[in-house]
Amino acid sequence: MAPREILKIENLTTYFYTWAGVVKAVDGISLDVREGETLGLVGESGSGKSVTALSILRIVPMPGRIIGGKIIYKGENLLEKTEDEMQQIRGKEIAYISQDPATSLNPVFSIADQLTEVIRRHQNVTKEEALKKAIELFRLVEIADPEIKIWNYPHQLSGGMKQRIAIARALSCQPNLLLADEPTTNLDVTIQAQILELMKNLKKLGMSMILITHDMGVVAGVADRINVMYAGRVCEVASTKTIFRNPVHPYSRALLEAVSHVTVKRVQPKIIPGAIPNLISPPSGCRFHPRCDFAAAECAAVVPQLVEIEPEHYVACIRAKEFMENVKEVKL
Amino acid sequence: MPIKTNVLQSILYKIKHMAKSSMAKYVLRRLLYLIPIFFGILIIVFVSTRMAGDPVKLMTGLNPRITAEARERLTQYYGLDQPLYYQFLKFVWEMLHGNLGNSYAIRGGTAVTTLVGDYAWETFKLQLTALFFSLLIAIPIGILSARKQYSKLDVTVTTTSLIGTCIPIFYMGIVAILIFSYSLGWFPYGAAHSLDPSRYPFGSYLLDELWHLFLPATVLTFAELAPVVLLVRSSMLEVLRQDYILAARASGLSERTVIYKHALRNALIPVVTYVGLYFGGMLAGAPITEKVFNWPGVGRLYVEAISKLDFPVITGITVFVTLMVLIANLVTDIAYAYIDPRIRIE
């Protein structure tokens, strides 16, 4: 029996209508998040990870527009909801943590104001009760002296502290699904470790999570399954273990090889040649083929579909079967 | 997780430590700064006007029968024979007693305090009305324009504002007078009151005042409107791109809260700067506007006093304008600190 899905995205398409042309930021992606699981959404900058998260909440900034697909949350399609219904879902059912803690809190309001505001929006409580809840949340995200710190303004706090507060705000209404958009990217390494530890602890609350990152090290520690994205499409989906031990899609492998390891010997991480394509006129066929070491002639012609090559392991590559069979030989 | 939270204690902490320390101290510090600035400006203006020429010569220049002795007596009468530092100290002493001296030229030596009082009121009336309405109209239009960037409404607003910014006020004023006063005869040509009470509309002094105010206030409103609209729009666009706006939306806050609480508060910071600077200059009276509408304001009085080397009036208006500009700056600073905690709490 398959575990229950809390969120299922089918063929989501979000385009940005800019002066230069239509940017196909998310071009028909499908993914699912199961109850209580953490799904890692991995890819280079510009691969459509963040836009996917914003599409789920339907807060894609102008000139972006969701033009197709389905986002099914608890059996209901979010794309068919009204704006008012969406406002009830945002923050309460599905919460969001944005990438930059330095800018995700409004500089002109106190932390207490910004936290109680969200609590009072979704829960029918008085100001004092909301404040009490906010202070409890501060304890949850391990901030010392919450009664005092809560009256601070964002500029009085450090980056790590701000990210803890952003997490506290996201958790304030016990959401069922948390979208964490690169929660550690803009932090110092030591603070990153603390925040990741915190995120791991949060998993124990039974919440599902989509963890968006370009850092393979981050997903390795936290995610249960990984969804590798490239240029607005999904390349490979599998459990974290499978992705790290037995990646099949050439892009997933390239990503793993680009990770630098701390070793005594100096090992230069491999660089993926080229850059992420221009999404106004993306390459035909498989979008990765111009940068792929294993591209065949037909890669430029056929758009590969996600195929289950072994149980719970999906790959969108026409040569996936070959790679599976000769895993040892092709491995670099 | 067992949690012991003392909300009351937390609120008490806030009242005790946060509120008191910041704002009052900030305002006090600003107030203390004003004193040396005020006297500095006063010295510069006092000295520079007295170097501009000799008012006695100007007064008597066209009188062929004036004797040197009479000139001497006039100079003594006005105290201009005293050394400059003595004149200045005497002026400061008198000023601290509420006396700014008497005009050399206007109505046989009217007290400067009376003059400034009368003219300043007219300037305030005109300028504050215009500022009030221009902000009232400009802020919502600017916000709307930013929210619907590149829409037809936005393009119309931006284009109109750009044209509005380019048309000088004296031109707009003259055209308005030509159309609404000369051709249509709806409004008076200028001045702030009808001289003849029988011409008051419905016999009401207040209506007469409003009738005279309407045209210059409207023209000024439009002149001030355009730059504020553009400023609010660009500032709002900048703020709407920020992460915290996205985060506020992602928390399920209503669009109204997002725009009018989270975005507007940040977008107003540059607008406050602009209005503060403008406010100061505006109280000095806009001599050109006042000339076009023959408005009895401080700006016109100032220009006339300078052309006659009417020292007491020049210095008197300078005292007044300096005070007003300093107060405007103080109000701006306080507004700043109120809006942006980064300024009040170091």
Side-chain angles (χ1 to χ4, degrees), chain B residues 195-226:
Chain B
L195 287 173
D196 180 3
S198 67
R199 296 202 55 201
Y200 290 173
F202 306 107
S204 157
Y205 178 74
L206 187 72
L207 279 181
D208 181 63
E209 228 174 344
L210 290 177
W211 185 49
H212 279 84
L213 183 63
F214 190 88
L215 204 57
T218 310
V219 169
L220 253 185
T221 302
F222 276 107
E224 285 168 20
L225 190 67

Side-chain angles (χ1 to χ4, degrees), chain B residues 175-198:
Chain B
V175 170
I177 291 173
L178 261 177
I179 297 173
F180 297 101
S181 304
Y182 183 76
S183 302
L184 297 169
W186 290 352
F187 297 102
Y189 288 84
H193 307 280
S194 300
L195 287 173
D196 180 3
S198 67

Side-chain angles (χ1 to χ4, degrees), chain B residues 84-106:
Chain B
L84 203 53
Y85 75 88
Y86 180 84
Q87 287 183 38
F88 181 71
L89 289 178
K90 186 158 182 266
F91 169 78
V92 172
W93 180 254
E94 290 290 326
M95 182 184 73
L96 294 175
H97 290 80
N99 178 16
L100 289 170
N102 292 27
S103 166
Y104 293 169
I106 299 167

Side-chain angles (χ1 to χ4, degrees), chain A residues 101-157:
Chain A
T103 57
S104 69
L105 293 166
N106 196 327
V108 302
F109 295 107
S110 72
I111 304 302
D113 191 348
Q114 299 188 51
L115 277 177
T116 52
E117 174 186 53
V118 177
I119 294 170
R120 296 195 68 201
R121 168 82 177 153
H122 295 299
Q123 298 170 34
N124 195 14
V125 294
T126 65
K127 259 188 179 159
E128 284 71 30
E129 284 169 331
L131 189 60
K132 187 174 169 191
K133 275 177 192 283
I135 293 172
E136 284 165 17
L137 281 167
F138 264 45
R139 295 232 158 85
L140 182 71
V141 295
E142 294 154 17
I143 295 175
D145 298 329
E147 289 92 347
I148 294 168
K149 285 272 160 39
I150 199 149
W151 298 111
N152 280 161
Y153 286 87
H155 71 280
Q156 295 169 300
L157 303 165

